[in-house]
Amino acid sequence: MHHKVTIEPFRIKVVEPIKLTSEAERIEILKKAHYNPFLIDAEDVIIDLLTDSGTSAMSANQWGGIMRGDESYAGARSWKRMETAIKELTGYKYILPTHQGRAAEHLLYTKIGGPGKIFISNTHFDTTRANIEFSGAKAFDIPIPEGTQPSSLHPFKGNMDTEKLDRLIIEHGAQNIGAVILTITNNSGGGQPASMANAEAVAEICKKHGVFFIFDMCRVAENAYFIKHREEAYKDWTYEDIAKKMLSLGDGAIMSAKKDALVNMGGFLALNDEQLADECKTTLIVTEGFSTYGGLTGRDMEAIAIGIKEVFEPDYLHYRVTSTAYLGNKIMELGVPIIQPVGGHAVYVDAKAFYPHIPPEQYPGQALAIELYKIGGVRAVEIGSVMFGAKNDAGEFVPASMELVRMAIPRRVYTQSHIDYVIEVFGELMKDRQKVKGIKITKEPAFLRHFTSWFDYID
Ligand code: F0G
């Protein structure tokens, strides 16, 4: 029998209550939060799709591991388990634990970055770019052209443009390239996968020029799922073997374990070069903690050791990618414009197309995020001109390239009925969408304004 419904391949043993609010209450909550979803208390959110990072539900096995966590300062059993699991998956020789992904980024990019250095990626995630630029180096994003077209159905929109890569390396000189970074899946480009063929082509170019090649492997299992189902040569491979082969092409990797290691906190840096690993280790001990725990507790490390294996379980991965696509496809059927095809961890709504009457300088993405909360208590994040808009030297508004709203799905947290509810909210939003007003910023900080700015409706 062919089943249409992809059931959640788990039962629920522990529950967390969701407080249900009325629209009248949410109107007041929004006002108090100055129309910024980041300033709303989590307790007042019904369905929280702000991020898939650190929001996973852990398994009974992981919680069991938490009790076994060895809290020894040096050489803890839990560290050994985490190190072994990561070595088995990545094949890299030296593993450095960190409290999350950006700490690993900071360790590596301050070492190999600096003024005059160039980094090249399919797309640098915000914290990656920030750490690179903080070191004084420059970061170039070179996704394939299809990667930035919301309606393109290319199966691997997370691929890097290899012709541009070759050209950039030659133009800047191989000796000035800090690293080439392949982000799998490409979060900033819509959670889109990169193919094995692309990773191989990137590796080949890096090898030819003698350039350092590393993976940002936060969502490595989700990327492996897409390869198995979209890249013919890998259809009979296990997800784990696909991930192993991909990682074997690089010189190292960075991972925020808060994504595909199914934990609430953690990360690591993995390298093959002994000298570089030693140098990073010195900084690790100064800034994070001793080299056998980084910023982590023994129980955190135990949960990572278990989660990084669990995530490759075929029924889980099938459910994960299918349920994300379910939300995207259902709202698309309602006429909501989204980035296609749906990626692994999130659905991105094209707010500019959803509210064509709201110009970018009146933040259509922010307007949609506010509406989602007002009508349904659903929290999502604007990825558009609030986050990336700028002013030119003449003080004029320069919009972001796209006006998106990201709904990231926490792993193993919400059931299909929660998602059906979100779909219903979109049905509601479709009705009066031409009446929705533009938004203005009433107070903003100097940096990363999306986190703390205040907003209001334009009358
Ligand atoms: N790299 C990628 C591709 C990411 O998506 C993230 C985090 C990081 C690095 C940094 O890891 O948060 O553990 O320090 N992404 C989260 C998100 C914050 O919501 O997409 P971190």
Side-chain angles (χ1 to χ4, degrees):
M1 180 185 160
H2 177 73
H3 303 276
K4 268 211 234 140
V5 177
T6 304
I7 64 164
E8 291 81 12
F10 47 81
R11 300 188 293 187
I12 296 163
K13 183 175 326 220
V14 177
V15 297
E16 226 183 332
I18 293 175
K19 189 176 94 185
L20 301 178
T21 49
S22 67
E23 187 172 328
E25 286 168 330
R26 290 193 295 269
I27 287 172
E28 287 310 307
I29 292 165
L30 269 171
K31 246 186 237 164
K32 275 201 204 114
H34 303 280
Y35 301 95
N36 185 344
F38 281 100
L39 302 180
I40 296 171
D41 288 343
E43 200 188 32
D44 292 329
V45 176
I46 297 178
I47 307 287
D48 204 343
L49 306 181
L50 197 61
T51 181
D52 65 319
S53 181
T55 52
S56 298
M58 289 200 287
S59 64
N61 227 339
Q62 285 176 296
W63 282 109
I66 295 239
M67 283 307 291
R68 276 201 314 269
D70 175 357
E71 305 302 340
S72 305
Y73 193 95
R77 214 169 42 236
S78 299
W79 158 245
K80 290 283 160 199
R81 289 213 179 93
M82 170 174 163
E83 187 189 33
T84 304
I86 296 167
K87 276 188 177 170
E88 264 174 33
L89 173 64
T90 65
Y92 300 127
K93 291 197 197 102
Y94 306 98
I95 314 296
L96 280 64
T98 60
H99 78 277
Q100 61 183 86
R102 69 197 70 180
E105 289 173 343
H106 187 69
L107 288 179
L108 183 63
Y109 300 138
T110 46
K111 275 288 167 281
I112 63 174
K117 291 284 184 202
I118 305 289
F119 288 76
I120 308 169
S121 175
N122 44 349
T123 311
H124 295 84
F125 180 68
D126 321 9
T127 59
T128 317
R129 174 175 287 276
N131 273 300
I132 288 167
E133 289 176 350
F134 185 77
S135 82
K138 271 204 179 115
F140 289 98
D141 292 337
I142 50 163
I144 55 167
E146 292 88 343
T148 51
Q149 293 160 14
S151 61
S152 158
L153 288 172
H154 192 288
F156 290 105
K157 290 171 83 171
N159 282 354
M160 192 184 292
D161 188 330
T162 47
E163 258 172 54
K164 267 195 197 152
L165 174 63
D166 202 41
R167 222 180 314 136
L168 272 176
I169 295 175
I170 292 167
E171 196 179 304
H172 291 278
Q175 73 282 6
N176 296 318
I177 309 297
V180 172
I181 306 164
L182 194 62
T183 309
I184 52 173
T185 57
N186 189 12
N187 183 8
S188 313
Q192 304 290 331
S195 69
M196 190 73 81
N198 187 250
E200 282 172 327
V202 170
E204 181 86 37
I205 293 168
C206 290
K207 207 170 171 190
K208 181 176 83 182
H209 294 289
V211 166
F212 193 54
F213 176 28
I214 71 152
F215 286 95
D216 178 333
M217 58 175 279
C218 294
R219 298 175 180 87
V220 63
E222 290 169 10
N223 199 85
Y225 182 91
F226 288 113
I227 288 179
K228 183 176 169 79
H229 298 279
R230 294 183 186 172
E231 205 168 351
E232 181 63 23
Y234 299 94
K235 69 179 196 312
D236 297 325
W237 285 49
T238 65
Y239 297 120
E240 219 159 358
D241 282 345
I242 292 171
K244 282 180 185 170
K245 169 160 181 183
M246 193 170 238
L247 296 168
S248 76
L249 300 168
D251 300 306
I254 276 172
M255 183 170 189
S256 166
K258 299 169 76 173
K259 284 80 167 175
D260 270 354
L262 299 170
V263 294
N264 306 121
M265 192 51 76
F268 60 82
L269 169 61
L271 294 167
N272 271 341
D273 185 299
E274 186 176 5
Q275 196 193 333
L276 182 60
D278 278 347
E279 285 173 21
C280 290
K281 201 180 273 182
T282 304
T283 318
L284 175 77
I285 295 170
V286 174
T287 60
E288 288 272 300
F290 186 59
S291 58
T292 65
Y293 71 88
L296 297 171
T297 63
R299 51 185 175 272
D300 289 330
M301 297 193 286
E302 195 78 33
I304 291 170
I306 298 165
I308 205 162
K309 287 209 165 105
E310 234 169 59
V311 75
F312 286 101
E313 211 272 304
D315 289 338
Y316 161 75
L317 269 182
H318 178 69
Y319 141 80
R320 170 68 178 160
V321 175
T322 309
S323 60
T324 304
Y326 176 85
L327 170 61
N329 293 336
K330 287 281 178 186
I331 64 171
M332 201 165 64
E333 283 168 24
L334 295 174
V336 178
I338 61 164
I339 293 196
Q340 294 185 61
V342 178
H345 71 294
V347 173
Y348 293 70
V349 179
D350 181 351
K352 200 160 29 178
F354 192 72
Y355 292 138
H357 62 289
I358 305 179
E361 60 269 29
Q362 295 182 14
Y363 310 113
Q366 193 69 19
L368 176 54
I370 291 168
E371 220 50 21
L372 268 169
Y373 181 76
K374 189 175 88 186
I375 302 300
V378 177
R379 177 153 69 171
V381 62
E382 192 260 16
I383 301 187
S385 290
V386 171
M387 203 178 265
F388 297 121
K391 285 203 171 95
N392 66 15
D393 293 341
E396 294 155 336
F397 173 82
V398 182
S401 59
M402 294 196 267
E403 302 296 334
L404 303 174
V405 169
R406 181 182 84 166
M407 295 185 288
I409 322 281
R411 293 168 181 78
R412 303 192 292 207
V413 169
Y414 293 116
T415 64
Q416 187 172 332
S417 75
H418 289 120
I419 298 300
D420 282 334
Y421 168 83
V422 177
I423 294 161
E424 222 178 285
V425 172
F426 269 97
E428 219 33 53
L429 294 190
M430 284 296 287
K431 286 183 196 156
D432 287 328
R433 57 182 167 148
Q434 69 289 350
K435 287 194 196 143
V436 169
K437 291 185 205 159
I439 301 295
K440 63 184 174 195
I441 295 177
T442 58
K443 188 181 149 194
E444 65 178 295
F447 293 104
L448 295 173
R449 67 178 177 184
H450 55 284
F451 288 123
T452 54
S453 281
W454 291 4
F455 302 89
D456 208 340
Y457 294 111
I458 294 172
D459 292 315

PDB file of all heavy atoms in Angstrom, residues 51-53 100-102 105 125 127-128 183 187 216 218-219 256 258-259 406, ligand 1:
ATOM      1  N   THR A  51      13.397  29.647  14.329  1.00  0.00           N
ATOM      2  CA  THR A  51      14.635  28.963  13.916  1.00  0.00           C
ATOM      3  C   THR A  51      14.544  27.450  14.132  1.00  0.00           C
ATOM      4  O   THR A  51      13.761  26.983  14.963  1.00  0.00           O
ATOM      5  CB  THR A  51      15.869  29.506  14.667  1.00  0.00           C
ATOM      6  OG1 THR A  51      17.041  28.811  14.215  1.00  0.00           O
ATOM      7  CG2 THR A  51      15.746  29.335  16.159  1.00  0.00           C
ATOM      8  N   ASP A  52      15.361  26.716  13.391  1.00  0.00           N
ATOM      9  CA  ASP A  52      15.499  25.270  13.600  1.00  0.00           C
ATOM     10  C   ASP A  52      16.764  25.006  14.419  1.00  0.00           C
ATOM     11  O   ASP A  52      17.205  23.874  14.535  1.00  0.00           O
ATOM     12  CB  ASP A  52      15.604  24.553  12.242  1.00  0.00           C
ATOM     13  CG  ASP A  52      16.879  24.933  11.484  1.00  0.00           C
ATOM     14  OD1 ASP A  52      17.251  26.116  11.499  1.00  0.00           O
ATOM     15  OD2 ASP A  52      17.506  24.041  10.881  1.00  0.00           O
ATOM     16  N   SER A  53      17.371  26.055  14.945  1.00  0.00           N
ATOM     17  CA  SER A  53      18.662  25.945  15.611  1.00  0.00           C
ATOM     18  C   SER A  53      18.512  25.811  17.126  1.00  0.00           C
ATOM     19  O   SER A  53      18.022  26.730  17.785  1.00  0.00           O
ATOM     20  CB  SER A  53      19.504  27.178  15.286  1.00  0.00           C
ATOM     21  OG  SER A  53      20.761  27.080  15.912  1.00  0.00           O
ATOM     22  N   GLN A 100      29.025  26.426  20.223  1.00  0.00           N
ATOM     23  CA  GLN A 100      28.126  26.415  19.079  1.00  0.00           C
ATOM     24  C   GLN A 100      28.914  26.704  17.815  1.00  0.00           C
ATOM     25  O   GLN A 100      30.134  26.854  17.862  1.00  0.00           O
ATOM     26  CB  GLN A 100      26.920  27.341  19.271  1.00  0.00           C
ATOM     27  CG  GLN A 100      27.199  28.811  19.458  1.00  0.00           C
ATOM     28  CD  GLN A 100      25.887  29.577  19.716  1.00  0.00           C
ATOM     29  OE1 GLN A 100      25.450  29.650  20.851  1.00  0.00           O
ATOM     30  NE2 GLN A 100      25.275  30.125  18.681  1.00  0.00           N
ATOM     31  N   GLY A 101      28.215  26.788  16.686  1.00  0.00           N
ATOM     32  CA  GLY A 101      28.893  26.894  15.396  1.00  0.00           C
ATOM     33  C   GLY A 101      29.783  28.109  15.275  1.00  0.00           C
ATOM     34  O   GLY A 101      30.923  28.032  14.805  1.00  0.00           O
ATOM     35  N   ARG A 102      29.271  29.262  15.706  1.00  0.00           N
ATOM     36  CA  ARG A 102      30.023  30.493  15.478  1.00  0.00           C
ATOM     37  C   ARG A 102      31.322  30.553  16.280  1.00  0.00           C
ATOM     38  O   ARG A 102      32.252  31.260  15.901  1.00  0.00           O
ATOM     39  CB  ARG A 102      29.134  31.717  15.732  1.00  0.00           C
ATOM     40  CG  ARG A 102      28.735  31.950  17.148  1.00  0.00           C
ATOM     41  CD  ARG A 102      27.551  32.892  17.238  1.00  0.00           C
ATOM     42  NE  ARG A 102      26.320  32.264  16.736  1.00  0.00           N
ATOM     43  CZ  ARG A 102      25.142  32.853  16.707  1.00  0.00           C
ATOM     44  NH1 ARG A 102      25.010  34.095  17.104  1.00  0.00           N
ATOM     45  NH2 ARG A 102      24.069  32.225  16.287  1.00  0.00           N
ATOM     46  N   GLU A 105      33.689  28.895  14.089  1.00  0.00           N
ATOM     47  CA  GLU A 105      34.007  29.839  13.005  1.00  0.00           C
ATOM     48  C   GLU A 105      35.050  30.844  13.482  1.00  0.00           C
ATOM     49  O   GLU A 105      36.009  31.157  12.780  1.00  0.00           O
ATOM     50  CB  GLU A 105      32.741  30.597  12.570  1.00  0.00           C
ATOM     51  CG  GLU A 105      31.742  29.723  11.820  1.00  0.00           C
ATOM     52  CD  GLU A 105      30.427  30.435  11.535  1.00  0.00           C
ATOM     53  OE1 GLU A 105      30.136  31.480  12.165  1.00  0.00           O
ATOM     54  OE2 GLU A 105      29.679  29.944  10.680  1.00  0.00           O
ATOM     55  N   PHE A 125      26.811  32.067   5.649  1.00  0.00           N
ATOM     56  CA  PHE A 125      25.775  32.387   6.624  1.00  0.00           C
ATOM     57  C   PHE A 125      26.198  33.668   7.373  1.00  0.00           C
ATOM     58  O   PHE A 125      27.383  33.984   7.412  1.00  0.00           O
ATOM     59  CB  PHE A 125      25.588  31.216   7.604  1.00  0.00           C
ATOM     60  CG  PHE A 125      24.531  31.482   8.623  1.00  0.00           C
ATOM     61  CD1 PHE A 125      23.201  31.579   8.252  1.00  0.00           C
ATOM     62  CD2 PHE A 125      24.861  31.682   9.956  1.00  0.00           C
ATOM     63  CE1 PHE A 125      22.224  31.873   9.194  1.00  0.00           C
ATOM     64  CE2 PHE A 125      23.885  31.968  10.900  1.00  0.00           C
ATOM     65  CZ  PHE A 125      22.563  32.058  10.516  1.00  0.00           C
ATOM     66  N   THR A 127      26.703  34.617  10.433  1.00  0.00           N
ATOM     67  CA  THR A 127      27.757  34.578  11.455  1.00  0.00           C
ATOM     68  C   THR A 127      29.103  34.223  10.815  1.00  0.00           C
ATOM     69  O   THR A 127      30.149  34.639  11.299  1.00  0.00           O
ATOM     70  CB  THR A 127      27.442  33.538  12.552  1.00  0.00           C
ATOM     71  OG1 THR A 127      27.311  32.241  11.943  1.00  0.00           O
ATOM     72  CG2 THR A 127      26.170  33.877  13.307  1.00  0.00           C
ATOM     73  N   THR A 128      29.047  33.453   9.722  1.00  0.00           N
ATOM     74  CA  THR A 128      30.279  33.084   9.001  1.00  0.00           C
ATOM     75  C   THR A 128      30.894  34.344   8.407  1.00  0.00           C
ATOM     76  O   THR A 128      32.079  34.640   8.595  1.00  0.00           O
ATOM     77  CB  THR A 128      29.946  32.082   7.873  1.00  0.00           C
ATOM     78  OG1 THR A 128      29.024  31.119   8.357  1.00  0.00           O
ATOM     79  CG2 THR A 128      31.195  31.393   7.368  1.00  0.00           C
ATOM     80  N   THR A 183      28.576  25.464   2.037  1.00  0.00           N
ATOM     81  CA  THR A 183      27.586  25.389   3.111  1.00  0.00           C
ATOM     82  C   THR A 183      26.494  24.399   2.693  1.00  0.00           C
ATOM     83  O   THR A 183      25.820  24.608   1.689  1.00  0.00           O
ATOM     84  CB  THR A 183      26.970  26.774   3.359  1.00  0.00           C
ATOM     85  OG1 THR A 183      28.018  27.728   3.527  1.00  0.00           O
ATOM     86  CG2 THR A 183      26.097  26.782   4.595  1.00  0.00           C
ATOM     87  N   ASN A 187      21.765  27.541   3.854  1.00  0.00           N
ATOM     88  CA  ASN A 187      20.720  28.171   4.675  1.00  0.00           C
ATOM     89  C   ASN A 187      20.253  29.484   4.063  1.00  0.00           C
ATOM     90  O   ASN A 187      19.064  29.674   3.805  1.00  0.00           O
ATOM     91  CB  ASN A 187      21.267  28.395   6.090  1.00  0.00           C
ATOM     92  CG  ASN A 187      20.227  28.974   7.040  1.00  0.00           C
ATOM     93  OD1 ASN A 187      19.055  29.082   6.703  1.00  0.00           O
ATOM     94  ND2 ASN A 187      20.646  29.336   8.228  1.00  0.00           N
ATOM     95  N   ASP A 216      30.709  23.815   5.749  1.00  0.00           N
ATOM     96  CA  ASP A 216      29.841  24.202   6.865  1.00  0.00           C
ATOM     97  C   ASP A 216      28.750  23.143   6.854  1.00  0.00           C
ATOM     98  O   ASP A 216      27.848  23.158   6.012  1.00  0.00           O
ATOM     99  CB  ASP A 216      29.271  25.601   6.621  1.00  0.00           C
ATOM    100  CG  ASP A 216      28.320  26.029   7.742  1.00  0.00           C
ATOM    101  OD1 ASP A 216      27.720  25.131   8.377  1.00  0.00           O
ATOM    102  OD2 ASP A 216      28.168  27.238   7.972  1.00  0.00           O
ATOM    103  N   CYS A 218      26.348  22.071   9.019  1.00  0.00           N
ATOM    104  CA  CYS A 218      25.205  22.138   9.956  1.00  0.00           C
ATOM    105  C   CYS A 218      24.071  21.193   9.575  1.00  0.00           C
ATOM    106  O   CYS A 218      23.446  20.595  10.424  1.00  0.00           O
ATOM    107  CB  CYS A 218      24.547  23.505   9.934  1.00  0.00           C
ATOM    108  SG  CYS A 218      25.497  24.827  10.527  1.00  0.00           S
ATOM    109  N   ARG A 219      23.785  21.133   8.273  1.00  0.00           N
ATOM    110  CA  ARG A 219      22.602  20.369   7.825  1.00  0.00           C
ATOM    111  C   ARG A 219      23.026  19.284   6.839  1.00  0.00           C
ATOM    112  O   ARG A 219      22.424  19.071   5.799  1.00  0.00           O
ATOM    113  CB  ARG A 219      21.555  21.340   7.240  1.00  0.00           C
ATOM    114  CG  ARG A 219      21.051  22.349   8.290  1.00  0.00           C
ATOM    115  CD  ARG A 219      20.108  23.394   7.729  1.00  0.00           C
ATOM    116  NE  ARG A 219      19.653  24.339   8.749  1.00  0.00           N
ATOM    117  CZ  ARG A 219      20.299  25.465   9.095  1.00  0.00           C
ATOM    118  NH1 ARG A 219      21.433  25.805   8.508  1.00  0.00           N
ATOM    119  NH2 ARG A 219      19.796  26.260  10.028  1.00  0.00           N
ATOM    120  N   SER A 256      27.549  23.546  13.474  1.00  0.00           N
ATOM    121  CA  SER A 256      26.676  23.911  14.572  1.00  0.00           C
ATOM    122  C   SER A 256      25.834  22.681  14.837  1.00  0.00           C
ATOM    123  O   SER A 256      24.962  22.331  14.041  1.00  0.00           O
ATOM    124  CB  SER A 256      25.784  25.090  14.172  1.00  0.00           C
ATOM    125  OG  SER A 256      24.731  25.218  15.121  1.00  0.00           O
ATOM    126  N   LYS A 258      23.577  22.304  16.747  1.00  0.00           N
ATOM    127  CA  LYS A 258      22.207  22.694  17.084  1.00  0.00           C
ATOM    128  C   LYS A 258      21.225  22.395  15.957  1.00  0.00           C
ATOM    129  O   LYS A 258      20.028  22.553  16.120  1.00  0.00           O
ATOM    130  CB  LYS A 258      22.175  24.192  17.413  1.00  0.00           C
ATOM    131  CG  LYS A 258      23.052  24.534  18.617  1.00  0.00           C
ATOM    132  CD  LYS A 258      23.235  26.042  18.787  1.00  0.00           C
ATOM    133  CE  LYS A 258      22.001  26.681  19.367  1.00  0.00           C
ATOM    134  NZ  LYS A 258      22.252  28.130  19.673  1.00  0.00           N
ATOM    135  N   LYS A 259      21.755  22.006  14.812  1.00  0.00           N
ATOM    136  CA  LYS A 259      20.883  21.631  13.692  1.00  0.00           C
ATOM    137  C   LYS A 259      20.866  20.102  13.577  1.00  0.00           C
ATOM    138  O   LYS A 259      20.171  19.443  14.321  1.00  0.00           O
ATOM    139  CB  LYS A 259      21.379  22.287  12.394  1.00  0.00           C
ATOM    140  CG  LYS A 259      21.058  23.779  12.288  1.00  0.00           C
ATOM    141  CD  LYS A 259      22.016  24.632  13.066  1.00  0.00           C
ATOM    142  CE  LYS A 259      21.904  26.098  12.729  1.00  0.00           C
ATOM    143  NZ  LYS A 259      22.765  26.918  13.593  1.00  0.00           N
ATOM    144  N   ARG A 406      11.087  33.718   6.628  1.00  0.00           N
ATOM    145  CA  ARG A 406      11.497  32.328   6.822  1.00  0.00           C
ATOM    146  C   ARG A 406      10.696  31.677   7.942  1.00  0.00           C
ATOM    147  O   ARG A 406      10.603  32.217   9.038  1.00  0.00           O
ATOM    148  CB  ARG A 406      12.982  32.248   7.175  1.00  0.00           C
ATOM    149  CG  ARG A 406      13.453  30.805   7.353  1.00  0.00           C
ATOM    150  CD  ARG A 406      14.908  30.708   7.751  1.00  0.00           C
ATOM    151  NE  ARG A 406      15.086  30.849   9.188  1.00  0.00           N
ATOM    152  CZ  ARG A 406      16.206  30.549   9.839  1.00  0.00           C
ATOM    153  NH1 ARG A 406      17.266  30.111   9.167  1.00  0.00           N
ATOM    154  NH2 ARG A 406      16.312  30.722  11.147  1.00  0.00           N
TER     155      ARG A 406
HETATM  156  N1  F0G B   1      26.334  28.136   9.665  1.00  0.00           N
HETATM  157  C1  F0G B   1      25.060  28.003   9.241  1.00  0.00           C
HETATM  158  C2  F0G B   1      24.785  27.527   7.851  1.00  0.00           C
HETATM  159  C3  F0G B   1      23.988  28.302  10.113  1.00  0.00           C
HETATM  160  O1  F0G B   1      22.732  28.162   9.695  1.00  0.00           O
HETATM  161  C4  F0G B   1      24.289  28.749  11.427  1.00  0.00           C
HETATM  162  C5  F0G B   1      23.202  29.122  12.351  1.00  0.00           C
HETATM  163  C6  F0G B   1      25.637  28.866  11.812  1.00  0.00           C
HETATM  164  C7  F0G B   1      26.632  28.551  10.890  1.00  0.00           C
HETATM  165  C8  F0G B   1      26.041  29.362  13.170  1.00  0.00           C
HETATM  166  O2  F0G B   1      25.810  28.382  14.126  1.00  0.00           O
HETATM  167  O3  F0G B   1      24.105  29.443  15.646  1.00  0.00           O
HETATM  168  O4  F0G B   1      25.434  27.455  16.355  1.00  0.00           O
HETATM  169  O5  F0G B   1      26.512  29.657  16.164  1.00  0.00           O
HETATM  170  N2  F0G B   1      22.013  29.307  12.013  1.00  0.00           N
HETATM  171  C9  F0G B   1      20.872  29.644  12.879  1.00  0.00           C
HETATM  172  C10 F0G B   1      19.636  29.912  12.047  1.00  0.00           C
HETATM  173  C11 F0G B   1      21.128  30.710  13.869  1.00  0.00           C
HETATM  174  O6  F0G B   1      18.609  30.342  12.621  1.00  0.00           O
HETATM  175  O7  F0G B   1      19.657  29.710  10.834  1.00  0.00           O
HETATM  176  P1  F0G B   1      25.448  28.762  15.655  1.00  0.00           P
END
